Amino acid sequence: MALLEVEDLHAHYGSIHALKGVSFTVGADEIVTLIGGNGAGKSTTLNAISGLVRPTQGRVALDGDDLTAIPAHQVVARGIVQVPEGRRTFVRLTVEENLRMGGFTVSDADVAHGIEHAYSIFPRLKERRRQVAGTLSGGEQQMLAIGRGLMAKPSMLLLDEPSMGLAPNLVELIFETISEIHRQGTAILLVEQNAHMALEIADRGYILQTGTVILADTAANLAANEQVRQAYLGEI
Ligand code: ATP
């Protein structure tokens, strides 16, 4: 059984049918990427898994436990943490206070350990521990958002466009870190509009188009696929 099972997921915003029966799995030892253009339904899929959007049909299960109807904070406690698009750090709080906020489901000892862990992954955050998040660079805010997500000791991290708006060297660093977090034992579901780096670090991927999975394969096969190369890798 896969760690995460998503079956026939549907979601609506009023009359907009944003997800039209999306199904996929993520294994405990995998990085899986969801790739798609604007409005394909990538964020909606993550939000439906994390409980921020109520699916109108379908099922989300973690380790066989049905998560479909439970509230977002309980999804975190069960082991799924979402790092949202656009970072969404608490801009008036310091780096360390932001990290503490991510540890609301774990013990004080785990909070202390989690902060040290986040600093070991992102030494830059340690240097800036007393700086308010609003004054961090985009890359540092992304580090903080990921570090904050790790505070809850997730078995699975959902990452929404972590490379968005970052300079190429920072994109590289963020993706290396995602691989490192995976090596340390966290499953990753990675949403990306730019497929290049995502397919480089992922084991498998799904291509989403207007709320439907149109292609599912290993990352290597997707990267070699003509249709994918033209539509998502900017190649003619
Ligand atoms: P992007 O890469 O542009 O963020 P996406 O693949 O993440 O796109 P979603 O944000 O999931 O796509 O959007 C899927 C569809 O649902 C789009 O047609 C979008 O306009 C619509 N949608 C998303 N959020 C809302 C909302 N809060 N209210 C109404 N429609 C929404």
Side-chain angles (χ1 to χ4, degrees):
M1 180 185 28
L3 179 63
L4 180 77
E5 293 174 303
V6 173
E7 267 173 40
D8 191 32
L9 207 60
H10 289 252
H12 290 78
Y13 300 103
S15 61
I16 296 171
H17 195 174
L19 299 184
K20 302 168 186 163
V22 170
S23 300
F24 63 92
T25 59
V26 182
D29 57 353
E30 282 190 308
I31 299 182
V32 169
T33 183
L34 294 183
I35 290 166
N38 283 118
K42 305 181 298 297
S43 298
T44 303
T45 302
L46 295 192
N47 290 338
I49 294 168
S50 60
L52 298 173
V53 162
R54 275 286 144 244
T56 42
Q57 193 182 311
R59 178 172 179 271
V60 176
L62 184 76
D63 239 346
D65 285 342
D66 195 335
L67 297 185
T68 322
I70 74 171
H73 67 278
Q74 285 180 22
V75 174
V76 174
R78 300 279 189 99
I80 298 184
V81 168
Q82 181 170 1
V83 179
E85 187 175 344
R87 287 61 125 166
R88 307 270 178 92
T89 55
F90 300 101
V91 292
R92 286 168 205 272
L93 300 185
T94 65
V95 165
E96 195 146 312
E97 287 164 346
N98 266 275
L99 291 175
R100 283 184 192 287
M101 297 292 273
F104 72 96
T105 55
V106 300
S107 69
D108 287 353
D110 280 343
V111 168
H113 179 259
I115 289 174
E116 286 318 310
H117 181 228
Y119 289 158
S120 73
I121 294 178
F122 296 114
R124 182 84 69 92
L125 292 183
K126 187 167 189 175
E127 290 165 21
R128 308 208 180 291
R129 62 202 296 170
R130 296 188 209 294
Q131 188 171 326
V132 292
T135 60
L136 296 174
S137 72
E140 290 162 353
Q141 291 201 17
Q142 186 61 61
M143 295 174 198
L144 180 55
I146 295 174
R148 185 184 56 189
L150 291 175
M151 290 293 298
K153 304 209 304 178
S155 51
M156 164 158 288
L157 207 53
L158 313 180
L159 295 165
D160 198 347
E161 306 262 6
S163 72
M164 190 194 270
L166 301 186
N169 60 333
L170 275 176
V171 172
E172 194 93 15
L173 172 71
I174 292 293
F175 275 87
E176 276 168 17
T177 310
I178 294 168
S179 294
E180 176 57 26
I181 292 166
H182 167 248
R183 276 194 294 277
Q184 292 181 9
T186 308
I188 308 274
L189 178 58
L190 170 65
V191 154
E192 268 296 330
Q193 210 176 108
N194 179 335
H196 264 292
M197 297 292 283
L199 288 175
E200 232 168 75
I201 66 165
D203 298 293
R204 293 186 300 114
Y206 295 83
I207 309 287
L208 213 55
Q209 199 175 79
T210 53
T212 309
V213 172
I214 57 160
L215 209 52
D217 211 329
T218 62
N221 285 346
L222 289 175
N225 180 296
E226 255 335 287
Q227 190 189 350
V228 174
R229 293 171 77 89
Q230 283 182 21
Y232 303 104
L233 295 175
E235 296 178 15
I236 336 162

